[in-house]
Amino acid sequence: MDVRLTILGPVEVSAGDRSLPALAPRHRAFLGYLLLHAGVVLSVERLIDAMWGPTPPDTARAQVHAALTAIRRTLRAADAVHLVQTRPAGYVITPGPGQLDLREFARLVATADAGPGAAVRTLREALALWRGPAFADVQAYFAEGARARLEDQRLAAIERLVELELAAGRHAELIDLLATELAAHPLRERLAGQLMLALHRAGRQADALAVGRDYRRRLAEEQGLDPGRAFLAVEETVLRGDPPTAAAIRPAKPATATVLRLTEPATSAGIRPAEPAASADIRPAEPAAATGIRPTEPATSATATRPVVAGPVVARPVAAFLPYDIADFAGRSVQLVELCEGASQAVTIAAIDGMAGIGKTALAVHAAHRLADRYPDGQLFIDLHAHTAGQRPLGPAEALEALLRQLGVATERIPASMTERAALWRAELAGRHVLLVLDNAADTAQIRPLLPGASNSLVLITSRQRLTDLDAARTLSMDVLPLPDSVALFTGIVGERAAAEPEAVTEVLLLCGFLPLAVRIAATRLRHRPRWSVAHLAERLRDERRRLTELARSERGVAAAFTLSYRQLTADQQRLFRLLGLHPGRDIEPHAAAALADLPVERAEDLLEDLLDAHMLQQRAFGRYTFHDLLRRYAAQLAAEQEPPHVGQAALTRLLGHQLSTASAAMDVLYPDSAHRRPRIERTAPPPVPLQDAPQALAWLDAERANLVLAADRDLTHTGLLATTLYRYLYDHAHHDDALALYGKALQAARRREDPTGEGRALTDLGWVYQVQGSHDVARDHFQRALAACRTSEDLRGQARALVGIGQVSADEGEHERAREANLRALELFREIGDRFGEAVTLDYLGIVHERLGQYARAADLHRQSLALSREIDSRGGEADALDNLGVACTRLGRHAEARDHHEQALELYRRFGYRRGEAKALNNLAEVAATTGDPGQAVRLHTAALDLAVELNNPGEEKRARQALARLLPTSEPSDHM
């Protein structure tokens, strides 16, 4: 069957005239991402990241499996289920020739070079494949970036087609097309130039100039930039009324650096133009260097003149010392606007800070070249060498001498003292319009004497430190490049090979952490290895142990840049940085850092802030600190090399003890009713995070949940203690994926310790998660194995918990007598050992069994007993469950007002304490009351809310219940798929 898979527009599967099962929106998103990376095996984790980004729901893994099932169902209807395959590392889709529109588009564009006529036909065929914006009906996290990247490819094809059509003289037919595309992409310079050219050729000079004015205005207002040379050439052609040529609108080649000569060669170590740069951010002039910034040639004339763009030509002495502006500079449009718009008539100081390799110097130099015409009295540059291998930082006196020489001050006029040099420097700059770049600064003390006085100047400062005490300076802290800019940077260096493997390029960029220096080095390695594919480079970078080695060239590289920053830290800062590399979690807060480093909390927080100011750490949320991925690997490497094993193990033990201690304290606040079921945890020193109330306790658990799960397998005893401690939090708040991961680790740990009690506990905990997810057979098996293990160890509480689980599974499958017997036996055991919490829970479950047996009065009585006991022991979760189930019994007894009141109370408790597991059930119950009492509209709203929540929480029982109810209430339409 002729199967077609499309993403250049809506994501669709078609098979001739045959009707295929429709995919839900979320499932179309999964299919779209698979097709975007056709032929590449995608892990579940990568699919989750693509769909939800950094904040996936707890049901993400389950939704991945559901989506793959739905996709296979649709493909099976087209006899193409073989296209999606499961591999050990994940999933892959492998369309055949002609089946995927994206591949067809790329093939046609790549082959459009057989001559003007054939190329036009091929490009038109390629563009005809587009049926709207790529991923037009997809709302997933990945979609925006992918859509923008593909749209850029479409526009590039249009611009190429227009160039060919203009060369053939078909300008009139292009005007509507170009006007439409430019309206959608008003800052697309080449489109603007092509439309101007087409209008000019059609004899519409005024309209062409109007297009140019509008483009100039938009570019200045929205980005603070001026048009490029290619556009200016077209504009000049229209102004002069010259016969235009198509070549006038081709992209301009990178401008070469202007070479200036000085009468006296610069000799100071601070003057970079005369020698190759040694900074981690500026590289010598060689092909695809790590950053691509090249220094200007040695200057030999202090009287070079600068051409004026408009107005009369004026000769002016200029000191021009800016390094070469790299041709492949990518992104940073927001920062460029901020720097360019901030330049004013008074002294303006802009301090650019960021981690090593982030591209601070590249941005400063690029901005300086953009702004050079505003500062006709000179553009000065000096490297202060704060982080230059093999060189000490320049002192202010040395830097002033170098800068005065750049201004042309004779040697005999330069005073000996730093104070007098600073005075002369300010005097020389008085009244001048000078742009000064102070690169690679160590701190404010180094640069303060270099700042101009009364001068109409701009000072751009780059530093790896936050210069927080620099008065009147505007600060700009740089982050990593966004994905589209990273792709542009990588592709600009690698060329066509990158365009042929877009999915592998994305993986390489992810492994580089979107750090410009890492991206440049990776791209350079690939460019100089023609037999490598991008996928091979990605494979090499996947190995965490060798990733930093891969991202190095000779003595330069990411690790070398990090080392220079690390060496600037104090001994205490270095120690904490190394120890943080041992932390198995994603981020850390001061109390945990204090435990890890055995420090007072206040001291740990000060050191974390110091590392943040030095850009050795990042802060994505208030009070929480994390690494860039490559810095995390660097810190772990340092810890392995420099910390003795016993020191590292002691630090990790302190951290795990702190986590367990604080988790126990949080659970005591949230669940005082079941404290007797949790292990007694010794409070650590430093003490756990102070948790005054339930919101604070819940906030700490939510923030630390991922860290707790990741750290669970570092110690066998710790794993079991943590799983037992966190059980009710994970269950009540529906963190099912984390629960399965943690309890699975606890089960393995118990078996390795040969601990049947721990094994029974973990099996029961796993069983409850499987039960709520609707996997009844798996749940029953876990409960039965748990019962056997607990009988072996004579653990009565464990036996009772397993019996309650067996009872619940049996009730869900209609085996009500078996359910009643299991719960009655559990009730006896709980009463025998005096576990009143277990007694209250079991009474409630017994009530459910009697309600399903049709014994509604008996059910109501059991629920009331459970409610009274839950309130007596202050079990808020038990109280909510008993109220909700009592409401069901009252509905069956015809007491609808009473039922509604019970359900509303239950819902309020579930929401107040964040017990999300009960919300969907309470909403469905309230909806049934509304339907029974003649309010179908309210019933639909409540069932719809329950459906949304059940899907989010991966609760198939309540999801099915809501769908069936909506189908009855809305017989003419099928309920929408909320996946």
Side-chain angles (χ1 to χ4, degrees), residues 493-522:
I493 297 172
V494 174
E496 295 180 357
R497 294 159 67 194
E501 298 179 79
E503 59 280 351
V505 169
T506 300
E507 184 175 4
V508 167
L509 298 175
L510 284 166
L511 293 169
C512 290
F514 302 106
L515 184 70
L517 175 60
V519 173
R520 285 187 178 278
I521 292 175

Coordinates of all heavy atoms in Angstrom, one line a residue, residues 493-522:
I493 N 29.9 26.2 10.3 CA 31.3 25.6 10.3 C 31.4 24.3 9.5 O 32.3 24.1 8.7 CB 31.8 25.4 11.8 CG1 31.8 26.7 12.6 CG2 33.2 24.7 11.8 CD1 32.1 26.6 14.0
V494 N 30.4 23.4 9.7 CA 30.5 22.1 9.1 C 30.0 22.1 7.6 O 30.6 21.5 6.8 CB 29.6 21.1 9.9 CG1 29.6 19.8 9.2 CG2 30.2 21.0 11.3
G495 N 29.0 22.9 7.3 CA 28.5 23.0 6.0 C 27.4 22.0 5.7 O 26.6 21.6 6.6
E496 N 27.4 21.5 4.4 CA 26.3 20.7 4.0 C 26.1 19.4 4.7 O 25.0 18.8 4.8 CB 26.4 20.4 2.5 CG 26.3 21.7 1.6 CD 26.5 21.3 0.1 OE1 26.7 20.1 -0.2 OE2 26.4 22.2 -0.7
R497 N 27.2 18.8 5.3 CA 27.1 17.6 6.0 C 26.1 17.7 7.2 O 25.5 16.8 7.5 CB 28.5 17.1 6.5 CG 29.4 16.8 5.3 CD 30.9 16.9 5.8 NE 31.2 15.8 6.8 CZ 32.3 15.9 7.5 NH1 33.1 16.9 7.4 NH2 32.5 14.9 8.4
A498 N 26.1 18.9 7.8 CA 25.2 19.1 8.9 C 23.8 19.1 8.5 O 22.9 18.5 9.1 CB 25.6 20.4 9.6
A499 N 23.5 19.8 7.3 CA 22.1 19.8 6.8 C 21.6 18.4 6.5 O 20.4 18.2 6.6 CB 22.1 20.7 5.6
A500 N 22.5 17.5 6.1 CA 22.0 16.2 5.8 C 21.7 15.3 7.0 O 21.0 14.3 6.8 CB 23.1 15.5 4.9
E501 N 22.1 15.7 8.2 CA 21.8 14.9 9.4 C 21.3 15.8 10.5 O 21.9 15.9 11.6 CB 23.1 14.2 9.9 CG 23.7 13.2 8.9 CD 25.0 12.6 9.4 OE1 24.9 11.6 10.3 OE2 26.1 13.0 9.1
P502 N 20.1 16.4 10.4 CA 19.6 17.3 11.4 C 19.4 16.7 12.7 O 19.7 17.4 13.7 CB 18.3 17.8 10.8 CG 17.9 16.8 9.8 CD 19.2 16.2 9.2
E503 N 19.0 15.5 12.8 CA 18.7 14.9 14.1 C 20.0 14.6 14.8 O 20.1 14.8 16.0 CB 17.9 13.6 14.0 CG 18.5 12.5 13.1 CD 18.3 12.7 11.6 OE1 17.6 13.6 11.2 OE2 18.9 12.0 10.8
A504 N 21.1 14.2 14.1 CA 22.3 13.9 14.7 C 23.0 15.2 15.2 O 23.6 15.3 16.2 CB 23.3 13.2 13.8
V505 N 22.8 16.3 14.4 CA 23.3 17.6 14.8 C 22.6 18.0 16.2 O 23.3 18.5 17.1 CB 22.9 18.7 13.7 CG1 23.2 20.1 14.3 CG2 23.8 18.4 12.5
T506 N 21.3 17.8 16.3 CA 20.7 18.2 17.6 C 21.3 17.4 18.7 O 21.5 17.9 19.8 CB 19.2 17.9 17.4 OG1 18.6 18.7 16.4 CG2 18.5 18.2 18.7
E507 N 21.6 16.1 18.5 CA 22.1 15.3 19.6 C 23.5 15.8 19.9 O 23.9 15.9 21.1 CB 22.2 13.8 19.2 CG 22.7 13.0 20.3 CD 22.7 11.5 20.0 OE1 22.4 11.1 18.9 OE2 23.0 10.7 20.9
V508 N 24.3 16.1 18.9 CA 25.7 16.7 19.2 C 25.6 18.0 20.0 O 26.3 18.2 21.0 CB 26.4 17.0 17.9 CG1 27.7 17.8 18.2 CG2 26.8 15.7 17.3
L509 N 24.6 18.8 19.7 CA 24.5 20.1 20.4 C 24.0 19.8 21.8 O 24.5 20.5 22.8 CB 23.5 21.0 19.7 CG 23.9 21.4 18.2 CD1 22.8 22.2 17.6 CD2 25.2 22.2 18.3
L510 N 23.1 18.9 22.0 CA 22.7 18.5 23.4 C 23.9 18.1 24.2 O 24.1 18.4 25.4 CB 21.6 17.5 23.3 CG 20.2 17.9 22.9 CD1 19.3 16.7 22.6 CD2 19.6 18.7 24.1
L511 N 24.7 17.2 23.6 CA 25.9 16.7 24.3 C 26.9 17.8 24.6 O 27.7 17.6 25.5 CB 26.5 15.5 23.5 CG 25.6 14.3 23.4 CD1 26.2 13.3 22.4 CD2 25.5 13.6 24.7
C512 N 26.9 18.8 23.8 CA 27.8 20.0 24.0 C 27.2 20.9 25.0 O 27.8 21.9 25.3 CB 28.1 20.7 22.7 SG 29.2 19.8 21.6
G513 N 26.0 20.7 25.4 CA 25.3 21.6 26.3 C 25.0 22.9 25.7 O 24.9 23.9 26.5
F514 N 25.0 23.1 24.4 CA 24.8 24.3 23.7 C 25.8 25.4 24.1 O 25.6 26.6 24.0 CB 23.4 24.8 24.0 CG 22.3 23.9 23.5 CD1 21.6 23.1 24.5 CD2 22.0 23.6 22.2 CE1 20.6 22.2 24.1 CE2 21.1 22.7 21.8 CZ 20.3 22.0 22.8
L515 N 27.0 25.0 24.6 CA 28.0 25.9 24.9 C 28.8 26.3 23.6 O 29.3 25.4 23.0 CB 29.0 25.2 25.9 CG 30.1 26.1 26.5 CD1 29.6 27.2 27.4 CD2 31.1 25.2 27.2
P516 N 28.9 27.5 23.3 CA 29.5 27.9 22.0 C 30.9 27.3 21.8 O 31.2 26.9 20.7 CB 29.5 29.4 22.0 CG 28.3 29.8 22.9 CD 28.3 28.7 24.0
L517 N 31.7 27.4 22.8 CA 33.1 26.9 22.6 C 33.1 25.4 22.3 O 33.8 24.9 21.4 CB 33.9 27.1 23.9 CG 35.3 26.5 23.9 CD1 36.2 27.1 22.8 CD2 36.0 26.8 25.3
A518 N 32.2 24.6 23.0 CA 32.1 23.2 22.8 C 31.5 22.9 21.4 O 32.0 22.0 20.7 CB 31.2 22.5 23.8
V519 N 30.5 23.7 21.0 CA 30.0 23.5 19.6 C 31.0 23.8 18.6 O 31.1 23.0 17.6 CB 28.7 24.5 19.5 CG1 28.2 24.4 18.0 CG2 27.6 24.1 20.4
R520 N 31.8 24.9 18.7 CA 32.8 25.2 17.7 C 33.9 24.1 17.6 O 34.3 23.7 16.5 CB 33.5 26.5 18.1 CG 32.6 27.7 17.8 CD 33.4 29.0 18.1 NE 32.6 30.2 17.7 CZ 32.5 30.6 16.5 NH1 33.0 30.0 15.5 NH2 31.7 31.7 16.3
I521 N 34.3 23.6 18.8 CA 35.3 22.5 18.7 C 34.8 21.3 18.1 O 35.4 20.6 17.3 CB 35.8 22.2 20.2 CG1 36.6 23.4 20.7 CG2 36.7 21.0 20.2 CD1 37.1 23.3 22.1
A522 N 33.5 20.9 18.5 CA 32.9 19.7 17.9 C 32.8 19.9 16.4 O 33.1 18.9 15.6 CB 31.6 19.4 18.5

